């Protein structure tokens, strides 16, 4: 079965620096790889999606890369702010099953220190 | 509000009770999902409904029973739960097989405590 590893359970970073979170997966490549943000007691919020034929995707201060050879995605937050503190979840989607079913990693809890 | 509304936000129930969780989406999506989130574990997919038909069960115990009466509403009926079923239950929706896929929209969840 597919396994998703987010290599850091927690990450502390100084305000203004770039935060880099890692997501690794095993087995076959997904159709889509996605990143979500989750605040305590709330549902995840969709941030970015990257397709298997794409290398990089950007949205404001966020950047996602996707390397199907390494089976890895990197998620970057530039000029990080305390408001970016949250848990970030990596998720994979395989469309072959007939519905877009997401498999999630455990997440990385990011703390941006003022 | 994200467009996916879950009620109640919090629920405490005894092991012999019967209760239901409700999810409603106003996004025009045609797929809806139930996920369970326990501490220190990744989100676990419980049920998938696509075009109002269940397409995934994932070996969920029968004490959890889903219902999808139409494309906008999803229920999770609970009965004779165990304390280990205490968790955050999340509903999500998405547009399946669309030309453009934008990911899931989640509700805020129901925090369930079984006593």
């Amino acid at each position: 079965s597919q396994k998703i590893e987010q290599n850091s359970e927690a990450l502390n970073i100084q305000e203004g620096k770039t935060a880099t979170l890692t997501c690794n997966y095993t087995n076959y490549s997904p159709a889509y790889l996605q990143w979500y943000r989750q605040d305590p007691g709330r549902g995840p919020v969709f941030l970015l999606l990257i397709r298997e034929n794409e290398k990089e995707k950007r949205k404001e201060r966020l950047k996602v890369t996707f390397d199907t050879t390494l089976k890895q995605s990197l998620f970057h937050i530039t000029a990080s702010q305390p408001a970016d503190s949250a848990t970030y979840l990596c998720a994979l989607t395989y469309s072959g099953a007939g519905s877009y079913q997401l498999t999630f990693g455990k997440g990385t809890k990011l703390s941006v220190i003022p | 509000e994200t467009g996916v509304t879950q009620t109640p936000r919090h629920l405490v129930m005894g092991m012999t009770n019967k209760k239901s969780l409700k999810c409603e989406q106003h996004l025009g999506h045609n797929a809806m999902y139930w996920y369970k989130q326990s501490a220190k574990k990744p989100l676990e997919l419980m049920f998938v409904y696509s075009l109002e038909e269940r397409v995934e069960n994932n070996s969920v115990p029968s004490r959890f029973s889903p219902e999808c009466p139409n494309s906008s509403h999803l229920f999770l009926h609970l009965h004779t739960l165990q304390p280990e079923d205490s968790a955050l239950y999340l509903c999500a929706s998405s547009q399946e097989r669309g030309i453009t896929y934008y990911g899931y929209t989640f509700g805020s969840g129901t925090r369930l405590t079984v006593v």
Side-chain angles (χ1 to χ4, degrees):
Chain A
S1 62
Q2 184 68 273
K3 188 176 179 183
I4 302 169
E5 288 185 357
Q6 295 188 245
N7 64 343
S8 298
E9 191 172 321
L11 178 66
N12 296 328
I13 193 165
Q14 204 71 33
E15 182 177 4
K17 301 293 186 182
T18 296
T20 299
L21 285 63
T22 305
C23 175
N24 294 286
Y25 60 92
T26 59
N27 300 334
Y28 45 94
S29 289
Y32 305 92
L33 189 146
Q34 306 169 44
W35 286 88
Y36 287 77
R37 168 184 173 142
Q38 187 174 23
D39 293 286
R42 311 292 293 185
V45 174
F46 173 73
L47 295 176
L48 277 171
L49 176 152
I50 189 164
R51 292 173 172 79
E52 61 180 328
N53 61 349
E54 297 176 320
K55 298 290 186 185
E56 182 178 300
K57 187 69 73 74
R58 292 176 184 258
K59 178 184 176 182
E60 298 173 353
R61 295 185 295 112
L62 308 180
K63 184 177 84 171
V64 172
T65 63
F66 193 11
D67 189 327
T68 55
T69 300
L70 293 178
K71 297 186 178 180
Q72 181 181 80
S73 174
L74 299 179
F75 177 76
H76 306 273
I77 305 175
T78 58
S80 59
Q81 305 166 1
D84 295 326
S85 299
T87 296
Y88 291 86
L89 306 174
C90 171
L92 309 182
T93 305
Y94 300 89
S95 61
S99 62
Y100 291 111
Q101 300 178 30
L102 280 180
T103 302
F104 283 86
K106 290 184 179 181
T108 296
K109 184 176 181 180
L110 175 67
S111 297
V112 181
I113 303 164
Chain B
E1 286 296 332
T2 64
V4 177
T5 304
Q6 288 188 245
T7 54
R9 289 296 311 276
H10 302 273
L11 178 63
V12 179
M13 61 185 289
M15 289 190 283
T16 58
N17 291 160
K18 289 184 180 181
K19 296 287 184 182
S20 296
L21 309 184
K22 180 182 176 182
C23 177
E24 187 173 356
Q25 60 99 359
H26 302 285
L27 301 170
H29 290 168
N30 58 10
M32 297 186 76
Y33 313 82
W34 280 116
Y35 276 85
K36 175 184 178 181
Q37 188 173 35
S38 305
K40 304 293 185 182
K41 295 175 71 174
L43 275 78
E44 302 170 56
L45 178 63
M46 299 177 72
F47 299 104
V48 178
Y49 276 84
S50 174
L51 302 173
E52 302 167 34
E53 291 188 13
R54 187 193 302 182
V55 295
E56 186 67 43
N57 189 353
N58 274 358
S59 302
V60 177
S62 60
R63 57 186 183 269
F64 296 92
S65 175
E67 179 189 0
C68 186
N70 55 61
S71 60
S72 298
H73 294 86
L74 185 65
F75 295 89
L76 187 62
H77 304 299
L78 316 171
H79 65 96
T80 59
L81 294 190
Q82 305 298 312
E84 60 264 29
D85 297 322
S86 299
L88 181 67
Y89 288 84
L90 291 160
C91 173
S93 69
S94 69
Q95 184 61 32
E96 181 184 340
R97 298 191 182 278
I99 296 174
T100 304
Y101 173 58
Y102 291 111
Y104 282 16
T105 302
F106 280 88
S108 295
T110 295
R111 173 65 63 184
L112 174 67
T113 303
V114 181
V115 297

